[in-house]
C-alpha cells in the first residue's frame, strides 16, 4: 500500500502548480533543509550538461514529490547519498534486465515491476509527466539523466524505510 495516496498526490500537484516563484523558493529552501540529497541530485544535473530548462522539469517533479511527502502526514527520514546510489543502481539494473528479453517477456517484467512498486500513484504520475515532456522536446543525450533523476526520486521515496514509532511504556 502506498504511503502517498492518490488524493494526497493530487492535492500536492494542485498546491505546487498554484505556487508563484516566491512560494517555490520557500519550498526549495524547506526541501534543502529536510532532504538536501534529493535536492542536490537535481541540481547536480547541471554538471552533467543538462540545460536549465530541463533541470526545471526535474525540480518541478521533485517539488511535487516533496510536497506529497509533506502532506502524507508521515515523518520521512533523511534520504542519504547511499540511498540515492542504491536506488539508482537498482533501477538501472531493472531497466538493463529488460533489454535482453523478448518483447513479451519484457512486457511481463515491466508489468511485474509496476504492480509490485510500493508507490504506484507517484510512479504513475512521474512516468506520465516524463512521457509528456519527452513527446514535446527534441531528444538529447542528456535527457537520460533527467529521466533517471526523476525515477530515482520516486524510488528513493518508495523504498526508504520509515522509522518505527517508539513503543509506549
Amino acid at each position: 500500500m502506498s504511503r502517498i495516496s492518490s488524493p494526497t498526490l493530487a492535492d500536492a500537484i494542485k498546491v505546487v502548480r498554484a505556487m508563484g516563484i516566491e512560494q517555490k523558493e520557500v519550498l526549495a529552501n524547506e526541501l534543502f533543509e529536510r532532504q538536501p540529497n534529493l535536492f542536490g541530485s537535481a541540481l547536480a544535473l547541471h554538471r552533467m550538461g543538462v540545460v536549465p530548462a530541463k533541470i526545471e522539469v526535474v525540480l518541478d517533479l521533485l517539488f511535487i514529490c516533496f510536497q506529497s511527502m509533506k502532506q502524507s502526514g508521515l515523518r520521512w527520514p533523511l534520504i542519504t547519498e547511499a540511498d540515492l546510489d542504491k536506488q539508482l543502481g537498482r533501477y538501472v539494473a531493472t531497466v538493463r534486465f529488460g533489454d535482453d528479453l523478448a518483447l513479451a517477456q519484457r512486457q511481463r517484467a515491466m508489468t511485474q515491476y509496476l504492480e509490485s512498486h510500493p508507490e504506484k500513484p507517484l510512479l504513475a504520475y512521474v512516468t506520465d509527466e516524463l512521457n509528456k515532456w519527452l513527446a514535446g522536446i527534441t531528444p538529447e543525450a542528456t535527457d537520460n539523466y533527467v529521466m533517471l533523476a526523476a525515477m530515482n526520486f520516486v524510488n528513493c521515496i518508495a523504498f526508504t524505510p520509515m522509522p518505527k514509532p517508539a513503543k509506549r511504556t
Side-chain angles (χ1 to χ4, degrees):
M1 183 171 163
S2 295
R3 297 178 286 194
I4 297 172
S5 68
S6 293
T8 299
L9 174 60
D11 189 49
I13 293 166
K14 287 179 198 171
V15 167
V16 172
R17 286 186 178 165
M19 287 180 173
I21 191 74
E22 294 84 14
Q23 292 166 312
K24 284 188 178 179
E25 186 177 311
V26 169
L27 185 64
N29 286 332
E30 186 179 357
L31 173 60
F32 176 73
E33 288 174 18
R34 290 191 184 175
Q35 294 294 342
N37 298 308
L38 284 178
F39 192 55
S41 70
L43 298 180
L45 292 172
H46 176 70
R47 286 186 275 147
M48 297 174 190
V50 178
V51 296
K54 293 182 179 185
I55 294 172
E56 187 175 332
V57 170
V58 172
L59 285 173
D60 283 341
L61 290 171
L62 179 56
F63 288 161
I64 289 169
C65 289
F66 180 65
Q67 186 68 32
S68 297
M69 292 167 72
K70 285 176 38 179
Q71 291 180 208
S72 72
L74 299 172
R75 186 153 190 231
W76 293 83
L78 176 69
I79 294 172
T80 66
E81 285 185 47
D83 295 327
L84 286 162
D85 291 344
K86 177 182 177 182
Q87 292 307 321
L88 181 61
R90 185 174 182 260
Y91 182 71
V92 168
T94 300
V95 170
R96 284 191 178 148
F97 170 75
D99 287 346
D100 296 336
L101 300 175
L103 181 59
Q105 292 173 317
R106 189 175 323 135
Q107 288 173 332
R108 231 182 349 253
M110 180 59 75
T111 299
Q112 182 180 5
Y113 175 78
L114 296 172
E115 288 175 352
S116 67
H117 200 279
E119 292 295 339
K120 289 178 189 66
L122 191 60
L123 177 64
Y125 172 74
V126 170
T127 300
D128 186 57
E129 289 298 305
L130 287 173
N131 284 332
K132 286 187 228 176
W133 171 72
L134 285 170
I137 64 166
T138 302
E140 298 176 336
T142 59
D143 295 342
N144 288 334
Y145 299 133
V146 171
M147 293 182 296
L148 285 171
M151 294 305 292
N152 206 30
F153 299 152
V154 172
N155 288 332
C156 284
I157 292 166
F159 294 103
T160 294
M162 299 301 278
K164 296 184 182 190
K167 291 185 180 182
R168 294 181 186 197
T169 56

